[in-house]
């Protein structure tokens, strides 16, 4: 690995986006410049979504049709729907629609089956969405942006885990824009589709290889977490392009540990997200061609998401 230097950040013109629609207001550029939003340093974000006016939502359009999904570096979120539950439980600030428009293409969903219905959870905290609503949001996004593909990992949670896969199967049985085969699709085959990802107790979709080991999510010292991420991404770069999706996490928490008891997911992300951006940018400076698979993050800002996406151009 080459030594790291602080990357320069780009300057962009931002307009407001949020609450389900892209809007442009007279004078918004001057307002945002005054408020300091145009510095191109949105690496960690625990606020509402702000998109540049020329933001490329459909970034997968530039991916070659023949490239396997497993050979693409993909920005994702860890515990995608964890917006509620207090500091110990919250991992994201943006709702699902905003995450997709910001460029997130891997979703990490914890699903609880109750009375033949599926609900999104994080631990024991209900995230105010049913799985049906999640599917509706993804379908609406893909109907607008047919060049894109969205990877969906379902983790059966709490009780009745064995019923989750069956209920998901019933909900998507007549949907032609869903990929549940274990064969790795090319980008051409994946466009406009939800690509389910299988692991352990959920067997629909393409296989998954996780680079982290048990307990790697626990953070007591930020520097130790950085070293783990480097190790995981190094492994991921060697495993990309195969018959499985490679997944690495930049997320973590100190909750439940003694030394890191005050390191909530947000506090970890506040330190890790800018560091991760700097780490990834070194490959651009070195003109290195590399693939990392999926990088699942907490509270990513749009500039960090763009850094992950641009790895596909290097």
């Amino acid at each position: 690995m080459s030594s790291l230097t602080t990357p320069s950040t780009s300057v962009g013109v931002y307009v407001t986006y949020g609450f389900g629609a892209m809007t442009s207001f007279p004078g918004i550029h001057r307002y945002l410049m005054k408020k300091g939003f145009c510095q191109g340093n949105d690496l960690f974000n625990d606020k509402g979504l702000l998109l540049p006016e020329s933001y490329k939502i459909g970034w997968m359009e530039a991916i070659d049709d023949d490239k396997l999904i497993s050979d693409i570096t993909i920005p994702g979120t860890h515990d995608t729907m964890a917006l509620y539950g207090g500091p110990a439980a919250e991992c994201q600030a943006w709702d699902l629609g905003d995450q997709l428009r910001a460029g997130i293409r891997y979703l990490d969903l914890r699903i609880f089956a109750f009375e033949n219905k599926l609900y999104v959870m994080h631990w024991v905290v209900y995230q105010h969405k049913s799985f049906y609503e999640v599917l509706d949001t993804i379908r609406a996004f893909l109907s607008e942006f047919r060049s894109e593909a969205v990877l969906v990992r379902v983790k059966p949670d709490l009780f009745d885990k064995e019923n989750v896969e069956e209920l998901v199967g019933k909900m998507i049985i007549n949907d032609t824009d869903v990929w549940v085969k274990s064969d790795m699709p090319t980008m051409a085959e994946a466009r406009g589709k939800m690509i389910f990802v299988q692991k352990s107790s959920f067997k629909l979709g393409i296989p998954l290889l996780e680079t982290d080991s048990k307990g790697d999510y626990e953070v007591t010292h930020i520097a130790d977490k950085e070293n783990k991420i480097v190790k995981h991404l190094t492994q991921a770069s060697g495993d990309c392009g195969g018959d499985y999706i490679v997944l690495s996490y930049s997320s973590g928490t100190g909750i439940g540990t003694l030394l890191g008891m005050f390191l909530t997911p947000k506090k970890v992300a506040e330190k890790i997200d800018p560091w991760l951006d700097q780490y990834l940018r070194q490959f651009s400076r070195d003109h290195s061609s590399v693939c990392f698979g999926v990088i699942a993050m907490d509270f990513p800002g749009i500039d960090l998401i763009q850094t992950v996406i641009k790895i596909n151009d290097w």
Side-chain angles (χ1 to χ4, degrees):
M1 294 292 178
S2 63
S3 59
L4 301 183
T5 57
T6 303
S8 61
T9 53
S10 59
V11 177
V13 178
Y14 288 76
V15 297
T16 59
Y17 173 82
F19 308 106
M22 179 86 76
T23 51
S24 180
F25 298 98
I28 193 68
H29 178 207
R30 293 189 298 275
Y31 172 79
L32 292 175
M33 286 288 288
K34 182 178 179 181
K35 294 297 182 181
F37 286 124
C38 295
Q39 303 306 308
N41 60 354
D42 186 11
L43 306 175
F44 162 85
N45 195 316
D46 62 347
K47 309 297 182 184
L49 179 63
L50 295 169
L51 287 183
E53 188 173 11
S54 59
Y55 199 78
K56 181 66 173 177
I57 295 176
W59 64 267
M60 284 182 155
E61 184 179 17
I63 303 295
D64 189 275
D65 275 346
D66 295 330
K67 182 162 283 196
L68 292 174
I69 289 292
S70 60
D71 202 22
I72 303 170
T73 300
I74 298 173
T77 44
H78 154 259
D79 275 314
T80 298
M81 304 294 290
L83 278 71
Y84 304 96
E90 293 168 8
C91 299
Q92 309 300 331
W94 303 333
D95 67 20
L96 180 54
D98 280 359
Q99 289 186 38
L100 292 171
R101 289 184 175 269
I104 296 298
R105 296 293 179 268
Y106 170 89
L107 311 179
D108 175 26
L109 306 174
R110 297 178 185 268
I111 303 298
F112 171 47
F114 180 69
E115 294 184 347
N116 291 320
K117 293 183 179 180
L118 298 174
Y119 301 92
V120 183
M121 307 292 291
H122 184 211
W123 297 343
V124 295
V125 182
Y126 173 52
Q127 295 301 315
H128 303 271
K129 292 290 181 182
S130 68
F131 187 64
Y132 181 84
E133 291 173 299
V134 169
L135 291 180
D136 267 0
T137 300
I138 300 171
R139 284 166 176 153
F141 175 79
L142 290 174
S143 69
E144 184 177 357
F145 298 95
R146 298 297 295 172
S147 64
E148 306 306 286
V150 178
L151 278 62
V152 179
R153 183 185 182 184
V154 171
K155 296 179 182 176
D157 212 354
L158 298 176
F159 317 111
D160 293 331
K161 293 182 180 181
E162 65 278 0
N163 293 332
V164 171
E165 182 177 328
E166 180 183 356
L167 291 172
V168 170
K170 289 179 179 179
M171 295 176 73
I172 61 175
I173 192 169
N174 295 317
D175 193 335
T176 57
D177 286 333
V178 169
W179 186 280
V180 293
K181 296 185 291 185
S182 60
D183 300 333
M184 186 63 58
T186 63
M187 191 67 243
E189 293 173 317
R191 295 194 193 281
K193 291 183 173 62
M194 278 183 274
I195 312 296
F196 277 86
V197 177
Q198 62 161 292
K199 184 76 184 287
S200 304
S201 55
F202 189 85
K203 299 298 185 182
L204 299 177
I206 56 180
L208 179 71
L209 173 66
E210 295 177 276
T211 59
D212 68 319
S213 303
K214 185 177 180 180
D216 279 353
Y217 70 91
E218 294 180 344
V219 180
T220 54
H221 297 93
I222 295 297
D224 291 342
K225 179 62 179 178
E226 292 171 357
N227 290 334
K228 289 178 181 178
I229 294 172
V230 170
K231 177 183 175 182
H232 297 158
L233 292 179
T234 300
Q235 177 187 337
S237 68
D239 289 333
C240 269
D243 296 330
Y244 38 73
I245 284 286
V246 182
L247 169 65
S248 302
Y249 296 94
S250 68
S251 56
T253 181
I255 303 298
T257 70
L258 180 60
L259 295 178
M261 65 175 69
F262 299 112
L263 289 172
T264 63
K266 183 185 291 188
K267 288 187 178 296
V268 171
E270 195 170 7
K271 299 293 186 181
I272 289 295
D273 287 357
W275 170 86
L276 178 61
D277 183 81
Q278 184 184 53
Y279 174 77
L280 294 174
R281 282 174 180 264
Q282 70 175 311
F283 297 97
S284 173
R285 291 193 298 271
D286 294 344
H287 304 288
S288 301
S289 177
V290 67
C291 168
F292 292 117
V294 175
I295 303 176
M297 304 167 282
D298 282 350
F299 298 100
I302 57 172
D303 288 330
L304 174 55
I305 292 170
Q306 283 300 305
T307 295
V308 175
I309 291 170
K310 287 175 182 176
I311 289 173
N312 296 292
D313 300 332
W314 299 341

